[in-house]
Amino acid sequence: MSAAISSIEPMTLDALRRKLAERGSKPLWRSLDELAETPEFMEYLHREFPKAASEWQSGTSRRRFLQLMGASLMLAAAQGCTRQESQAIVPYVEAPRDFKPGQVQHFATATSRGGYGLGLMVESHDGRPTKIDGNPRHPYSHGATDVFAQASILNLYDPDRSQTVLNAGRISTWDQWLTELRPALDRVRAARGRGLSLLTGATSSPTLIAQIKDLLQQFPEAKWHIHEPCDLQQHRYGGQTAGQRPLDKLYDLTKAKRILALDADFLGSGPDSLRLTRQYAQRRRDELSSAQMTRLYSAGPAPNCTTAMADHHRPLPAAKVRNVLFRLNQMLSGAEAKWLPSGLAADEQAWVDTVAADLKQHGAESVVIVGDSQPADVHAFARDANRQLGCVGPQGCVRYVASILAAAADGVRPLAELVDDLNGQRVAVLAMLGGNPVYDAPADLDFAAAMKKSSATSIHLSAYDNETSQHCLWHIPALHELESWSDIRALDGTASIMQPLIEPLYGSATKSAHDLLGVLAGEKAPKSAYERVSAHWTQWLKDRQPIANFDVTWATWLQDGVIADSASEAIGADAALKAEPRDEAAPNQDLEKKSPTAKSLEIVFQPDVAVWDGRYANNGWLQELPRPISKLTWGNVAGVAPQLAERLNLQDGDLVTLTLDGRSVEAPVLRMPGHADNCVSVTLGYGRTRAGHVGNGVGFNAYLLRGRENLNSAQGLEIAKTGRKLDLAMTQHHHSLEGHVEWTDNTRPEPVRSGEIADFEKDPHFLQQEFDRHSPPSLLPNFEYSGYAWGMSIDLNSCVGCNACVVACQAENNIPIVGPEQVRNGREMHWLRIDSYYRGDPTSPETFFQPLACQHCEHAPCELVCPVAATTHSPEGLNEMTYNRCVGTRYCSNNCPYKVRRFNFLEYNDATTPVLKLLRNPEVTVRSRGVMEKCTYCVQRISAARIVAKREDRSIHDGEVVTACQAVCPAQAIVFGDLNDPKSAVNQRKASPLNYQLLGELNTLPRTTYMGRLRNPNPDLVALEADRSQAPNATVHPLDPQQLGAG
Amino acid sequence: MDHEPTNQELIDSHREASHTEVSRGAPVLKAGHTFGSVTDQISAIVLSRPTSRGWWLGLAASFVLLMVLNMSIAYLLLRGVGIWGISMPVAWGFAIVNFVWWIGIGHAGTLISAILLLLRQDWRTSINRFAEAMTLLAVACAGLFPLLHMGRPWFFYWLMPYPNTMALWPQFRSPLVWDVFAVSTYASVSLLFWYIGLIPDLGTLRDRATSRAAQVLYGALALGWRGSAMHWHRYRVASLLLAGLCTPLVVSVHTVVSFDFAVAIVPGWHTTIFPPYFVAGAILSGFAMVMTLAIPLRWLYGLQDFITPRHLNNMAKVILCTAMIVGYGYIMEIFLAWYGNNPYDQAVVANRFTGAYREAYWALLFCNIITPQILWFSRVRQSPKLLFLIALIVNVGMWLERFIIVVTSLSQDYIPGNWGMYYPTFWDWATFIGTVGLFFTLFFLFVRFLPMIAIYEMRELVHETSEHHAND
Amino acid sequence: MAQIFHPNTNAISRASIFGALFAVVIAGWLLDSFNRSDYWTEVGVPRAQPVPFSHAHHVGDIGLDCRYCHASVETSAFAGMPATEVCLGCHSQLFNKAAILEPVRASLREQKPLQWNRVHHLKEFAYFNHSIHVAKGVGCSTCHGPVNEMPLMWKQNSLSMQWCLQCHRHPENYVRPKEAVFDMDWQPPADQAEQGRRLVELYHIAKLEPAGAAPQEPRKSASASKAAAAKSSPDDYFEEEQQTGAAPVVKFRDPLTNCSVCHR
């Protein structure tokens, strides 16, 4: 053992590079540890039974033990027989109109994403919403949704939701609150609203904004503050752009041949990511020629979906984006005379110059995208660049519109001002409509202290009794978006009506912001949210078309989920530039000093891709969602570059103390290939203390480091090792093994097939192998499918690894969560997982995604070995799993080469919490302990479609059956359909020369096939990156002629 | 016919025994025994001799372990198989390892009594009784695991074909179904064989028993055996028939067990060499276990006269031989991986030598291949202590072999994205140790209440040995 | 010394050898027949209801159509149970004072739904859809029996899987003309076998596709032979395996006996 370890060299990047070189032919690798075979890692692998302890802790008391024992035996008995327990059928007293029991209905509504609207189409079973999908008519959904929309259904039924009015933590009532509030309100009214402060999150809801404006008219001296922790363009709320509306950018990537994304994850997050992903993927999939194919450059601090898709990713500290844009503009303008130092290292500058040349060449067909986390002047730089490229305008790749979010222009004041007022005892009544400032306000504001200090009557409307509620005099339980009427506008201004799908689960105590504002406005007879919304839009319609019939239009709006021509006007490029003028002088001082060094590191704050700003912390689906690339679940980490980790001698899971401006937190480290050097990235939204049973105490709270001045990134971070270690729960890399064997890896076929567009043009079939074209003979019988033959195609070129499909599958198929301990054991239950692989240099490798679910093999190895015929082959080629026949020998899983089967090792499904029963999809059996499960191609949807078709005596149309993962995918990477229908979309996909079978050499004949990944690298840049390592790390002097030559 | 040996003969035989080196010529029963003495000495253990403190201690110890087994089974039924270390991708763990290990051990008994009976190997007589008992107990232990390792054990009967309201049959293409038949057949036939073998001795015990209870008990079990010529005739026919039945079973059981792996497409499992190499392994572990039991027994109960050096010598030879076969199996696995040029198989082989579980693999090579080699030396074959040690090592080695087969292949199969590790938990160990407890508890009861050596067969040996002396 | 056993114990011991075998067999048989017994499956056991509603009266005597109360039977998986208002549609006029109907009136008065005791209860993992059965000519009485003669409702059939499969394997023995689906008095004609086969063809039961859409070329990779669509042979899940080219080809017969038809 020890000998074996000592024989292995310690992990250095050079060592890694050497290993890669030895392997030759640039193999795929999964994790740094796998590559390195580090002693720590092996020691970790060889720890004696790490699980034993936990099993002891989870031991049960003797009495409980006996109870359960009896129960489980009874269960055994009950399961064995068919005698029926008595059960009641409860019909309506008066049946609702057009309602058929046991039939699915769909309703269009919308959800809020940091104030911006996203159109939804919600599935309802017998009056209870069970599944959320995108609204095809909505410009920012097109039928797709992100992980949050998928998972928000779980928040609706969350048993931890607050259910009663609380007065200083004691249970109270709504009326109680009204009576006790009245005197305070009267005093405020007497003072023309002085002392009334309103705190909301970012919102674009016309009704809500109108309501607040009315309130402000009533109380001229009242103040309206907005706090949206993860709206990264904080400058909106007061500050330099007061009086003006900040700009929003509307990109159109269908025309973009060259994209430069700077610190921007436009594919992974943001209000328009779904739309952009679709456009990007479409082009990437359809334009398969080096002339037409999109080329994506990206530079930024932390790896994410966008950097993973990029043809060239350049790890770059957030602070240097300004420098890059500065240099870029110089290159584009080409006015060499007044060139100033860009503050970039030589190789960085060379990179920018090459990219600039490429962009310039494509002019209006290229676009620069800058992340919201960048300050206003950087955005101004970007607009300048885009204007110089000539891609601004209705025909171009980007348009500018005035943001529809309530902002300074609407009289919104910054949060800091509220804190001052609180400390200065200038607040009599503080009404917080949602939000959780005590937890997520900038640390240096110390909101909690201010709350304690202030004597104001504080009211907190919130779905959870959270950290802030704790500090408030009154807590009012809030309605879920699916329980109340409201409205919202999308990025481009398109408005949608949000309609309730279910009566408030927790009764009349739960209220909406509209109700609360009504009370504050002192309305005698409070209107219902419905009345307010409909009233607002009646007015809106009257103003535009006086003669229209409101009821009819209203009905159409509700049905479509969007309000026709409600979008806002675009602003011209020059106007846009004026809107937020950039200070020509400003950057030049910044350029030098801003960039991080080994002494003072940079820290980047990002919203978490699973729990966002912390509002989803109590959502188990999201907590257990493997983050893209890192595959981390149940917690957040401090991401660092491998080379930085090497210098600081850090391993994955090492606990470090992060210190910034005297504030510090402890965080586990995770090395991220492709991360910027001298830079640490942390995600917000963790370390909640009052999130609920699921979210409490998971991860660390990065807000504690976040100051008001540097909300998105900061310099001068110190990092210190604590010597302690954390066992991170990861779904893929905990699978890593040391003792990886090079001499076989050259021959082992790679799961992800990828190549370059150039090679593709030479030979379109270059990724295919013999067995992809025609299958070898087999001893097993071939089935002949005279009816439907269901199949799937997954395009690795389109998949951006956003995880939406994983949650969609979980929601559709009643897939349980298992918790971090089980995830560490490798027992996560996701039917659909997304494997990620790297290729190339660890400092900035290429990244690959591969969604993997049951492949539904023709020659399915699992079917042969099941002793009880619980998994069988269907006449339509499905590989079916009959849960109630399964006895749990797990032989099928052993024999599955894809290892896509999931087993209920313990009782994972919560059968006790009543409210969760409402959540489940009634069309899918809830699996008990000891049963195998796996992807079924959403067989319940196939059956439903078949029954309808058979009733109408026709065959199922192409596209009539849509699997959950396919429906949700913004990139349209997944296509499902009938292989016996030559015209079907899936057959079109499979006809592609890129089509290949995973492990086809085993002759399993998978029904799911993949389309290989094509990259479109820039030859100049490839050459440049080849000798990057030798480049001297010196900044460029502007007047150095040879450097100019390089430019 | 049965005459007392003269002193002269006794002396001769003593001299002979002392300086003839242990080989096929050597006696399988220490000379000088009479029918009476044999019967006395063996039946005394059961009937008259006071129960030794060692026996009580041994029983107590193994009973404690048996309780550990009960506890872990209760907790297993309560929580589910998740209490074990199994995961995705390593969905089979200790349960299957132990199953194969115990089944393997369960081979020696029947092999000795059936095949050696047919081959007329007289030296088998004194060990076949408790070897058969060992077989039964081992199979019982083995039988537990396939049940326990199921996710829903209360549905075990779905693996058997019977008319049911679901109108469903088992899926006969699955090796697990074959297992059910193979193991249950083997168990029942072995039981029958063992019991029939017992009947004459039960008769003897009945006649010699002093207490009423014992008389009734043994009497009932003896099924009215009176030792008439007819009885003996029937008896011989029956045991020959059963021996004939058992012989193919010895081979079939472990062949079928090996199919569990060979039929699967998992790299490292999917190989045609498994059946012979499993059977050889089974015999190896079986004899190792017989040795592990025999050496202490003859020492504890002073049975050196009946279990003579020749027995140990022969068993040692069997171990050496089967160890070589197993070794050949290992070599073939490696060769075929290279020759077949299948990257996945090659990866498995490489992974065994260098991977996460390499210590286990090296250890098993040492235990199963290297260690038995010293049995080439007759000195070693004559030293009970050394043999006992070697037997223990081989037992461990064979367990490790099953662990390597089950775990390493699963932990790294086809797609790197889903490789994983297996760590046994406390409950894995508890269940395993527990079955050892079950085994020894029953074995202690066996040696206390039943003749551990076939009395009447020894009598025949007395006959032969005395004749042998009469002739020289 | 005295004999321990009486001589005739020999007989006993002999008997016991076979007796053991018999005991096992008998026990198994008892268990199985108990599992199928009416006591266990509750076939023919009337269920008490809050209101003693008599199908015999409403269907048999008055001749109400099933769909009057079970309205969604043709469109939904669930046949539907009448809302209180449906009952009172008539009973606000007829017997509107009858004590026996008090619970119904109370239900409307207090807006509390009636709670009927379920008679036909399928396990949660078995998915049954009324609409498709009704649409394909499976009559109410085929499964529910002579409802028009049941004063209180009882189970006519065990609803065991085996029972379902009888029809799913041989629909021709049970299907009736669509127009007769709700006819309680319909009796299978003498030539049901013939009629049934005709209807199975006509209604596209037990076939992979309606004749309208002719099946396309079988999938290349999946099938070594280019033979035409499998025609339904009523006997087996598979048709006979036939040796063609590289490997035998299994032709599926019909999807009605396919697991996912009922289990998802």
Side-chain angles (χ1 to χ4, degrees), chain A residues 165-396:
Chain A
V165 176
L166 293 177
N167 178 4
R170 287 182 310 280
I171 290 181
S172 177
T173 68
W174 174 256
D175 299 333
Q176 179 85 14
W177 175 65
L178 289 181
T179 43
E180 296 201 11
L181 185 66
R182 192 144 293 122
L185 272 182
D186 295 342
R187 253 178 274 115
V188 167
R189 182 172 290 103
R192 306 185 60 253
R194 177 182 302 277
L196 172 59
S197 295
L198 192 63
L199 179 63
T200 70
T203 179
S204 65
S205 163
T207 310
L208 193 70
I209 293 177
Q211 226 180 325
I212 294 176
K213 284 189 168 166
D214 294 349
L215 188 74
L216 292 180
Q217 264 171 5
Q218 264 192 59
F219 305 100
E221 310 243 331
K223 288 182 178 177
W224 177 17
H225 309 268
I226 286 187
H227 171 55
E228 185 69 27
C230 286
D231 176 353
L232 301 169
Q233 291 176 294
Q234 291 291 339
H235 50 79
R236 286 206 168 102
Y237 309 116
Q240 69 270 38
T241 62
Q244 281 161 331
R245 288 211 154 278
L247 294 179
D248 275 332
K249 306 150 213 66
L250 308 182
Y251 299 104
D252 178 1
L253 301 184
T254 54
K255 311 190 184 70
K257 284 189 187 170
R258 295 290 182 270
I259 304 173
L260 172 59
L262 295 170
D263 188 10
D265 183 12
F266 67 93
L267 295 174
S269 61
D272 53 355
S273 62
L274 297 174
R275 181 194 178 97
L276 297 184
T277 303
R278 167 148 314 192
Q279 294 176 343
Y280 171 82
Q282 224 153 22
R283 216 186 143 79
R284 197 78 183 182
R285 186 168 53 240
D286 302 341
E287 307 291 347
L288 292 182
S289 72
S290 46
Q292 288 301 318
M293 193 181 199
T294 311
R295 177 177 295 155
L296 172 58
Y297 300 99
S298 92
N304 54 40
C305 295
T306 309
T307 64
M309 296 310 287
D311 298 297
H312 294 283
H313 170 59
R314 172 88 198 186
L316 186 82
K320 277 196 161 182
V321 169
R322 176 184 279 99
N323 310 48
V324 168
L325 273 166
F326 181 77
R327 176 69 184 180
L328 184 68
N329 280 329
Q330 286 181 334
M331 292 295 297
L332 293 176
S333 61
E336 304 184 0
K338 58 178 173 58
W339 275 10
L340 297 156
S342 70
L344 289 168
D347 59 329
E348 289 171 333
Q349 178 147 320
W351 191 84
V352 178
D353 295 355
T354 326
V355 174
D358 195 16
L359 293 182
K360 198 166 185 175
Q361 190 189 342
H362 290 79
E365 289 177 318
S366 51
V367 60
V368 177
I369 303 179
V370 170
D372 285 349
S373 56
Q374 290 292 325
D377 64 323
V378 173
H379 282 272
F381 269 124
R383 278 197 298 281
D384 199 3
N386 282 329
R387 198 188 43 158
Q388 297 196 45
L389 287 168
C391 66
V392 184
Q395 268 58 44

Side-chain angles (χ1 to χ4, degrees), chain A residues 317-324 326-327 330 339-346 348-349 377 381 585-598 600 602 715 1033-1039:
Chain A
K320 277 196 161 182
V321 169
R322 176 184 279 99
N323 310 48
V324 168
F326 181 77
R327 176 69 184 180
Q330 286 181 334
W339 275 10
L340 297 156
S342 70
L344 289 168
E348 289 171 333
Q349 178 147 320
D377 64 323
F381 269 124
N588 307 349
Q589 307 98 14
D590 297 354
L591 292 176
E592 287 299 341
K593 66 174 193 287
K594 274 278 182 105
S595 59
T597 66
S600 96
E602 178 183 78
Q715 309 298 322
N1033 194 5
T1035 53
V1036 189
H1037 191 278
L1039 302 180

Side-chain angles (χ1 to χ4, degrees), chain A residues 1 4 30 42 44-46 49-52 55-56 58 60 65 68-69 76 79-80 732 735 737-741 743-744 747-749 825-827 833 835 837 861 863-869 883-891 893-895 897-899 901-903 905-906 929-931 998-999 1001-1002, chain B residues 74-89 91-92 149-152 154-155 157-159 166 168-171 173-177 259-261 263-266 269 343-344 346-347 350-351 354-356 358-359 410-421 423-427 429:
Chain A
M1 172 77 206
R30 292 175 305 148
M42 289 174 50
Y44 161 73
L45 283 181
H46 290 265
F49 347 123
K51 311 293 177 298
E55 281 308 335
W56 270 123
S58 60
T60 41
F65 180 92
L68 290 174
M69 192 62 172
Q79 294 225 9
Q732 186 179 345
H735 292 182
L737 296 171
E738 94 285 29
H740 199 82
V741 187
W743 62 272
T744 58
T747 53
R748 180 188 283 272
N825 293 17
R827 294 173 180 178
R833 68 171 195 266
D835 289 345
Y837 300 94
E863 290 165 5
L864 289 167
V865 296
C866 175
V868 292
Y883 309 119
N884 44 298
R885 176 68 174 170
C886 177
V887 295
T889 65
R890 306 184 293 288
Y891 199 172
S893 167
N894 289 349
N895 214 27
Y898 308 93
K899 288 287 176 289
R901 289 176 162 266
R902 294 286 176 252
F903 187 69
F905 287 95
L906 301 168
R929 153 196 144 193
V931 170
L998 185 55
L999 295 182
E1001 64 268 34
L1002 298 181
Chain B
Y75 191 58
L76 178 72
L77 293 177
L78 180 67
R79 295 274 324 272
V81 287
I83 66 171
W84 294 339
I86 47 178
S87 67
M88 295 299 162
W92 282 0
H149 109 291
M150 290 164 83
R152 303 199 292 172
W154 46 89
F155 287 134
Y157 56 87
W158 283 354
L159 272 76
M166 296 174 289
L168 282 174
W169 295 103
Q171 207 271 101
R173 291 180 302 174
S174 166
L176 293 186
V177 179
F259 286 163
D260 291 349
F261 304 99
V263 164
I265 64 168
V266 180
W269 287 9
Y344 302 110
Q346 294 176 345
N351 180 34
T354 65
R358 59 184 173 290
E359 292 80 11
L410 287 175
S411 73
Q412 278 195 29
D413 62 352
Y414 290 97
I415 298 183
N418 55 39
W419 289 352
M421 290 292 291
Y423 305 100
T425 65
F426 167 85
W427 295 106
W429 288 110

Side-chain angles (χ1 to χ4, degrees), chain B residues 105 107-109 112 127-128 130-132 134-135 283-297 312 315 391 395:
Chain B
I105 288 172
H107 271 61
I112 292 170
I127 53 170
N128 68 346
F130 74 82
E132 281 177 49
M134 180 200 77
T135 294
I283 297 168
L284 172 56
S285 60
F287 269 89
M289 186 55 93
V290 174
M291 193 99 89
T292 329
L293 296 176
I295 292 172
L297 273 182
L312 305 182
M315 286 196 280
N395 283 326

Side-chain angles (χ1 to χ4, degrees), chain A residues 341-497:
Chain A
S342 70
L344 289 168
D347 59 329
E348 289 171 333
Q349 178 147 320
W351 191 84
V352 178
D353 295 355
T354 326
V355 174
D358 195 16
L359 293 182
K360 198 166 185 175
Q361 190 189 342
H362 290 79
E365 289 177 318
S366 51
V367 60
V368 177
I369 303 179
V370 170
D372 285 349
S373 56
Q374 290 292 325
D377 64 323
V378 173
H379 282 272
F381 269 124
R383 278 197 298 281
D384 199 3
N386 282 329
R387 198 188 43 158
Q388 297 196 45
L389 287 168
C391 66
V392 184
Q395 268 58 44
C397 299
V398 57
R399 289 178 301 136
Y400 296 101
V401 293
S403 166
I404 42 85
L405 290 188
D410 307 283
V412 173
R413 319 283 188 83
L415 183 66
E417 193 178 326
L418 172 60
V419 174
D420 293 343
D421 292 349
L422 285 171
N423 289 326
Q425 296 296 2
R426 288 188 292 279
V427 183
V429 175
L430 169 60
M432 294 188 264
L433 308 182
N436 189 4
V438 168
Y439 163 72
D440 57 24
D444 52 1
L445 287 181
D446 200 353
F447 196 86
M451 290 287 292
K452 281 206 191 69
K453 195 143 175 269
S454 156
S455 58
T457 313
S458 49
I459 305 139
H460 187 228
L461 175 77
S462 163
Y464 292 88
D465 171 10
N466 59 20
E467 292 85 345
T468 306
S469 319
Q470 198 181 9
H471 286 74
C472 289
L473 184 59
W474 289 96
H475 163 76
I476 316 280
L479 289 166
H480 188 271
E481 281 172 339
L482 293 176
E483 289 175 329
S484 74
W485 287 92
S486 185
D487 51 9
I488 193 157
R489 298 180 70 186
L491 191 65
D492 69 349
T494 311
S496 307
I497 307 291

Side-chain angles (χ1 to χ4, degrees), chain A residues 818-832:
Chain A
V818 298
E821 192 48 46
Q822 295 294 311
V823 170
R824 286 190 198 97
N825 293 17
R827 294 173 180 178
E828 64 276 1
M829 295 299 285
H830 299 128
W831 286 3
L832 173 58

